[in-house]
Each structure stands twice: as C-alpha cells, then as structure tokens.
Amino acid sequence: MSIKLKLLRVQAGMTLETLAQAADLTRSYVSKVERGASTPSIGAALKLAKALKVPVEELFGEPSESDPVTITRANEARARNPAQGEPRVVAGTAPGHRMLAFVLQPGKERGRGHPMSHHEGEEILYVLSGSITLQLANRSESLVAGDCAHFNSTVPHKITSQGDVQAEVLLVIAG
C-alpha cells in the first residue's frame, strides 16, 4: 500500500501535509504509512481514500481501471491479421491514454504510388530488427536495429523495410 498511497497522493497534487489535514490524520502517521513503516486501520484507510477521492479498494486492492500502469503481455497483444504482418497493438488501449504503441513489420518499397501518412501529434519509431527507410517529406533516413527517430507526425511520412531481413519496429504515437 505504501507505494500506491504515495502515487495517489502525488497524482492528486497533494503534499504529505495537505493529505494529512484532509484525512484528519497526522503528517507523521501518513508519512509512516507511505514508507511502509505502519499499516493503516480500516478507519484510517477510509479517511485517506476519501481525502484522495478514490475508492478504498484503490489503496489495498488489485489495480483498477484507473491504475496509471498498464501491462500488455505478448500473448494479449492484438493484431488484426498477424499472418499478413499487420500492426500489433502493444499499448495505449486503456481509456484516457494519449499514446498508442504498435509493433509492425513495414512492407518493401511499393513504388511512387504508396501514400505518405500524416496526422496530429508526435511519433517515436524504434527499429527492433532489420533496417528501414523513414521518409519524412523530402528527407529520407536509413535506420537499423537500435536506431530511433522522434518526429512531429504532421510531417508527411512513411516507413519501408530494406534489405533481405524483414524489419520490425516499435511505433509510438502520441496525440
């Protein structure tokens, strides 16, 4: 509970003092609970939850939908059609998140007719394996495994796989 209490307090923008006052507890006691040196009674936990405006189970229980950390296991990641190399969503599907992450295998160059995409926000592209060409408007960059690009996604862009090895990239889009 100690780490969870501190996280909730910080997310609420409260100091130890303001939380203690709002919960009608001493600053010293709240500090001990945050450090794990003391376990609160149910009454104290109810006061803390009320002061933080969260359900009491948020302090003790399993992570709820409002948990700021989302873990996506490999077997849970969704691809519309993984056999055809469609993007696999690996993060960002929880409500309220402003980022979306995909693992994708870009196709080979499809000629001049292949359109460039653009949209609001930013992108971070990290090459997991193989090599790619990242075209940004009139600029073209070759990237290999371990290389990373961060760019404004309003700039027209496209990604193509290069070489004999199928490239795989992690793409994070923030809106």
Side-chain angles (χ1 to χ4, degrees):
M1 170 188 214
S2 59
I3 292 172
K4 183 80 174 201
L5 177 61
K6 184 172 184 174
L7 177 65
L8 290 169
R9 176 179 62 79
V10 170
Q11 284 180 331
M14 300 175 90
T15 64
L16 274 172
E17 187 65 39
T18 57
L19 177 57
Q21 287 176 354
D24 196 27
L25 299 168
T26 67
R27 182 187 181 284
S28 171
Y29 178 72
V30 174
S31 176
K32 286 179 184 177
V33 173
E34 273 196 6
R35 291 190 324 258
S38 183
T39 302
S41 65
I42 296 298
L46 287 169
K47 288 180 177 184
L48 289 166
K50 184 177 179 182
L52 291 165
K53 297 180 174 89
V54 298
V56 72
E57 55 271 53
E58 187 88 323
L59 297 175
F60 290 105
E62 290 297 311
S64 73
E65 290 180 12
S66 64
D67 188 344
V69 177
T70 303
I71 306 294
T72 303
R73 302 289 178 198
N75 63 347
E76 297 169 350
R78 294 188 314 245
R80 283 179 269 163
N81 192 349
Q84 293 183 8
E86 295 225 2
R88 180 169 41 109
V89 178
V90 294
T93 57
H97 288 228
R98 294 182 8 220
M99 292 188 297
L100 188 59
F102 301 90
V103 172
L104 61 105
Q105 296 177 332
K108 298 280 186 184
E109 184 65 42
R110 296 183 188 136
R112 295 183 182 264
H114 182 60
M116 298 178 85
S117 64
H118 61 88
H119 47 87
E120 291 298 315
E122 296 178 77
E123 289 189 29
I124 293 177
L125 180 130
Y126 182 82
V127 182
L128 297 168
S129 63
S131 62
I132 64 163
T133 297
L134 171 62
Q135 188 174 345
L136 298 160
N138 295 324
R139 177 178 177 178
S140 183
E141 295 288 339
S142 292
L143 303 173
V144 298
D147 288 348
C148 183
H150 181 185
F151 55 94
N152 182 324
S153 47
T154 60
V155 173
H157 56 280
K158 73 176 175 180
I159 305 162
T160 52
S161 184
Q162 299 298 315
D164 296 332
V165 176
Q166 173 62 59
E168 190 168 64
V169 300
L170 172 66
L171 180 67
V172 180
I173 301 171

